[in-house]
Amino acid sequence: MVATLVVALALGTGSGITQARDLAKRSMIEYDAGDFEKALNDAQRAYELDPLPALLFNLGQCHRALHHWERAEFYYRGYLRRRPDAKNRAAVEGLIADMQARQKEATAAASTPAAAPILVEAPAAAPSPPPPAAVPTTSAPEAAVTAPAPGRPVPVGAWVVGSVGVAAVAAGVVFAVLATDLKNSDSFQNGSAPTAFHTISQGQFNDETTDAYFANGLIYGGAVALVGGVLWGVFGRGSAPASGPAAVSF
């Protein structure tokens, strides 16, 4: 494929012809530089001053570079009409066929209806948030911020002491009942020990005061432990300190 311009070597003499030759050379330089509009204008002026067939080919090349397919075909055909024996005839005929194919492509693209735009309903706009409250511009005294904080849990030691107290009181009550039953039973009066009631020794069983002592000690000690555990749990919890700054200023 011919991609360059043809130099018109058969330019004659004279001021107009000399000017046409200069314009043709400048057109070739502009074409090689990619400035196809200027190359087209200078080639057109050169042809008007000296209508040589080679300039028709150059005009076709400029229109081809500018994607003017129909105009390029017109000048290629004019070149072959003026130069039927041109050495590059086969190449120019190939250019003519290419221009015809490009014209058909352009016509088909222009006749194809454009796809209708798909209308998508825009989602409803979310309601605007209320405007922020106005912040006073004057300086106010610092206001203490006391965030309520959850109280601390009951200490584990309070639970342990209270539980021990409850267990001791319960055991003391059991021993008190046993002491009372044994004191009033026939077995106690006869000096025999019903071992089914508890597991203390025979000598201790024979003396009902032993159970009474155990009962009193467990009940009193358990009561003290229970009260101590309750007081520990109430006063030992305290309150968790509030986190964050103690005051804010506006």
Side-chain angles (χ1 to χ4, degrees):
M1 180 179 295
V2 177
T4 58
L5 303 184
V6 176
V7 180
L9 299 177
L11 293 173
T13 59
S15 60
I17 295 177
T18 302
Q19 186 179 0
R21 180 172 57 187
D22 294 338
L23 289 170
K25 290 181 179 180
R26 188 168 66 183
S27 173
M28 293 178 61
I29 295 173
E30 293 165 344
Y31 182 92
D32 292 338
D35 196 346
F36 304 121
E37 287 286 355
K38 289 184 177 181
L40 175 63
N41 292 333
D42 288 338
Q44 184 71 40
R45 292 173 58 193
Y47 184 77
E48 292 172 357
L49 293 173
D50 190 9
L52 295 175
L55 292 175
L56 292 174
F57 177 80
N58 291 0
L59 287 169
Q61 289 291 80
C62 292
H63 281 290
R64 175 173 171 269
L66 293 170
H67 295 180
H68 303 160
W69 315 126
E70 184 176 358
R71 296 297 294 168
E73 179 187 358
F74 171 80
Y75 283 108
Y76 289 145
R77 290 186 180 277
Y79 170 69
L80 292 181
R81 185 175 59 255
R82 295 279 305 277
R83 291 283 300 272
D85 58 343
K87 296 181 179 179
N88 60 344
R89 183 180 183 87
V92 176
E93 289 176 346
L95 289 172
I96 292 174
D98 183 51
M99 296 302 98
Q100 291 175 341
R102 292 181 182 272
Q103 290 180 63
K104 291 180 180 179
E105 292 176 0
T107 302
S111 61
T112 302
I118 300 176
L119 299 179
V120 179
E121 183 178 357
S128 301
V135 179
T137 57
T138 58
S139 176
E142 294 186 351
V145 177
T146 56
R152 292 177 178 174
V154 177
V156 178
W159 285 107
V160 173
V161 173
S163 300
V164 171
V166 172
V169 171
V173 172
V174 172
F175 275 102
V177 172
L178 291 177
T180 302
D181 291 342
L182 291 174
K183 184 176 181 180
N184 297 327
S185 65
D186 295 338
S187 299
F188 179 81
Q189 299 297 330
N190 297 331
S192 61
T195 58
F197 285 97
H198 50 70
T199 59
I200 60 178
S201 64
Q202 180 70 36
Q204 291 173 327
F205 175 77
N206 289 334
D207 190 358
E208 58 87 16
T209 57
T210 303
D211 283 345
Y213 290 151
F214 271 106
N216 293 335
L218 289 173
I219 290 174
Y220 292 143
V224 172
L226 178 59
V227 172
V230 171
L231 294 177
W232 189 0
V234 172
F235 296 101
R237 294 177 63 182
S239 60
S243 60
V248 294
S249 59
F250 298 95

